[in-house]
Amino acid sequence: MNPTKLFKAIGILIITLVILAALAVCGYAIYLETHYYRIADNQQETVAGNQKGMLEVSKTYRASSYNVGFGAYTPDYTFFMDEGIMADGTKTTGSQSRAASKQSVINCTNGDISLIKSLNVDFALFQEVDENSTRSFYVNQRQAFEQAFENYGSIFSKNFHAPFLMYPPTNPHGSVQSGILTLSKYAVTNAERRSYPIDESFPTKYFDLDRCFDIMRIPVNNGRELVLINSHMSAYDKGGLVRKEQLALLRNCLAEECSKGNYVVCGGDWNHALGGSEKLYPSKQLVPPWVSVLNDSDLPAGFRYVKANNFAEVPTCRGVDIPYEKGVTYTCTIDGFFVSDNVAAEATHIDNEFRYSDHNPVMLTFSLQK
């Protein structure tokens, strides 16, 4: 072939490939945008299998909070969005975007069920529960939890609903349907989903969760209500601006319920270091960039953080930029409960050594005061 014609053909091929790539990128951007939406605020949620019976003043109850990490986080699991820093300054980044296998998700989910069942709680708060997601091989964790706790009413609110995410390119995170799940042995008269503010900038809005918290009302035999809240705040928020807006919304809700004289128990994954835990536990890593701090002064008047009796010994969250190794991997406490002053409460961190999740559960023992 004539060299001139050859170069011309190569040039046409390159231009064609560039155009096709540009069209593919534009087409995918349109796909993401047309599938993007936020769930409206103040949504009423259905209580499936609602139970009977009201709470009694001065009686002791138990609640747990546990982020199950969509069944992926075995101790060796690392997540591609998580970053850390070793003590010598070396930067570290996780690598995986999906669970290791469907069987691994099933094993972790079954382990989570056994763990929480062993606590014999009256209320179980879960975060990162998948329904139909690529990352968890379409294992329906919500169904598994609801079937295992058949004598509990359940409230489920979506907080991550994403079309197929083509990142990372070699093993995409895929489509996600996930949320927070609350189980109750007692009658829930009302369940309301509140939408947290999130970062809606491009392209962050496609990859962040549709963060929310649920407000559930349970009658008490003195005419008041227990207001039970299940919350999951943002994690990857540079500068912490979104988390400040989220905390402001929650503060207003807590203060409003306190002014009514209700009892408030607020649990979840706060994605803030609680109780001064950001540098508490032994590690060969520095405090990672995702850690924000929540102090008691950030809570409204009339509320307190319930620090666990084994707080200094057992963290509730590990970094997932490297596999878990006690004393090496960064850990802190970001899970727990805030309660109003008319609730007497003690907490315990359940030391599961991060077998089934990158979190350990927290159990709250509480009573409603006269």
Side-chain angles (χ1 to χ4, degrees):
M1 180 183 287
N2 185 293
T4 301
K5 290 183 178 180
L6 177 61
F7 289 135
K8 185 177 180 179
I10 292 173
I12 292 172
L13 177 62
I14 292 173
I15 292 172
T16 301
L17 291 175
V18 170
I19 291 173
L20 290 174
L23 289 173
V25 171
C26 290
Y28 182 62
I30 293 171
Y31 163 75
L32 289 178
E33 185 61 29
T34 55
H35 285 76
Y36 176 80
Y37 67 96
R38 283 220 66 192
I39 298 173
D41 198 8
N42 302 110
Q43 294 289 304
Q44 293 297 308
E45 298 288 17
T46 301
V47 185
N50 203 6
Q51 301 297 294
K52 297 180 180 180
M54 63 174 57
L55 302 178
E56 299 177 22
V57 173
S58 301
K59 184 177 178 179
T60 299
Y61 300 95
R62 286 182 175 181
S64 62
S65 180
Y66 186 25
N67 183 326
V68 298
F70 63 92
Y73 292 86
T74 51
D76 60 343
Y77 186 87
T78 65
F79 189 58
F80 74 101
M81 290 183 67
D82 213 59
E83 298 177 347
I85 308 171
M86 302 304 294
D88 63 3
T90 302
K91 293 184 178 181
T92 51
T93 305
S95 62
Q96 293 161 274
S97 59
R98 303 180 185 181
S101 66
K102 182 175 182 178
Q103 189 59 52
S104 180
V105 176
I106 293 171
N107 292 344
C108 286
T109 302
N110 288 339
D112 296 330
I113 289 170
S114 296
L115 181 59
I116 299 304
K117 274 197 166 185
S118 72
L119 303 180
N120 191 27
V121 295
D122 301 288
F123 309 96
L125 282 57
F126 297 99
Q127 302 85 39
E128 288 195 41
V129 178
D130 275 12
E131 279 190 299
N132 186 29
S133 304
T134 308
R135 64 184 186 176
S136 52
F137 293 86
Y138 304 100
V139 173
N140 193 329
Q141 292 184 295
R142 173 190 176 182
Q143 184 181 75
F145 284 119
E146 289 178 337
Q147 289 178 347
F149 293 87
E150 60 183 354
N151 294 322
Y152 292 68
S154 68
I155 301 96
F156 182 81
S157 287
K158 286 187 179 180
N159 71 349
F160 197 4
H161 47 91
F164 199 91
L165 302 174
M166 288 293 299
Y167 192 85
T170 55
N171 192 26
H173 198 55
S175 61
V176 181
Q177 297 293 329
S178 186
I180 57 177
L181 175 67
T182 305
L183 305 176
S184 172
K185 280 186 177 179
Y186 293 87
V188 177
T189 58
N190 184 271
E192 181 181 14
R193 182 191 187 280
R194 295 299 313 271
S195 294
Y196 275 129
I198 64 167
D199 184 349
E200 295 192 65
S201 63
F202 179 88
T204 304
K205 66 180 183 178
Y206 301 129
F207 296 91
D208 195 14
L209 283 67
D210 197 347
R211 302 283 181 171
C212 70
F213 60 98
D214 276 344
I215 301 175
M216 290 146 290
R217 299 182 182 277
I218 302 157
V220 183
N221 65 351
N222 63 356
R224 298 184 181 182
E225 294 176 319
L226 168 64
V227 177
L228 180 66
I229 295 176
N230 186 354
S231 172
H232 191 188
M233 281 187 171
S234 289
Y236 303 103
D237 173 30
K238 290 184 178 179
L241 298 178
V242 170
R243 279 187 275 197
K244 287 181 180 179
E245 293 177 357
Q246 293 177 353
L247 186 58
L249 172 61
L250 181 66
R251 280 173 54 92
N252 289 338
C253 291
L254 295 180
E256 181 180 352
E257 296 301 334
C258 188
S259 69
K260 297 176 183 177
N262 286 327
Y263 305 97
V264 184
V265 172
C266 185
D269 175 358
W270 303 102
N271 275 312
H272 289 74
L274 305 175
S277 65
E278 64 272 17
K279 296 182 180 179
L280 177 62
Y281 307 105
S283 170
K284 293 185 180 179
Q285 293 188 288
L286 303 179
V287 178
W290 56 264
V291 173
S292 291
V293 176
L294 195 155
N295 298 306
D296 287 349
S297 59
D298 295 317
L299 301 175
F303 285 85
R304 69 189 185 281
Y305 165 58
V306 185
K307 184 176 284 190
N309 50 30
N310 58 346
F311 181 88
E313 293 77 39
V314 182
T316 71
C317 181
R318 72 169 181 94
V320 289
D321 53 297
I322 61 174
Y324 176 64
E325 184 179 349
K326 187 174 182 178
V328 176
T329 307
Y330 176 80
T331 57
C332 64
T333 286
I334 66 174
D335 308 85
F337 289 89
F338 309 140
V339 301
S340 52
D341 286 345
N342 53 2
V343 177
E346 297 180 350
T348 302
H349 293 169
I350 307 303
D351 190 4
N352 195 46
E353 298 181 334
F354 307 108
R355 287 186 181 91
Y356 315 125
S357 173
D358 56 326
H359 293 251
N360 281 322
V362 180
M363 185 176 73
L364 185 78
T365 304
F366 68 96
S367 61
L368 312 177
Q369 301 301 289
K370 293 182 179 180

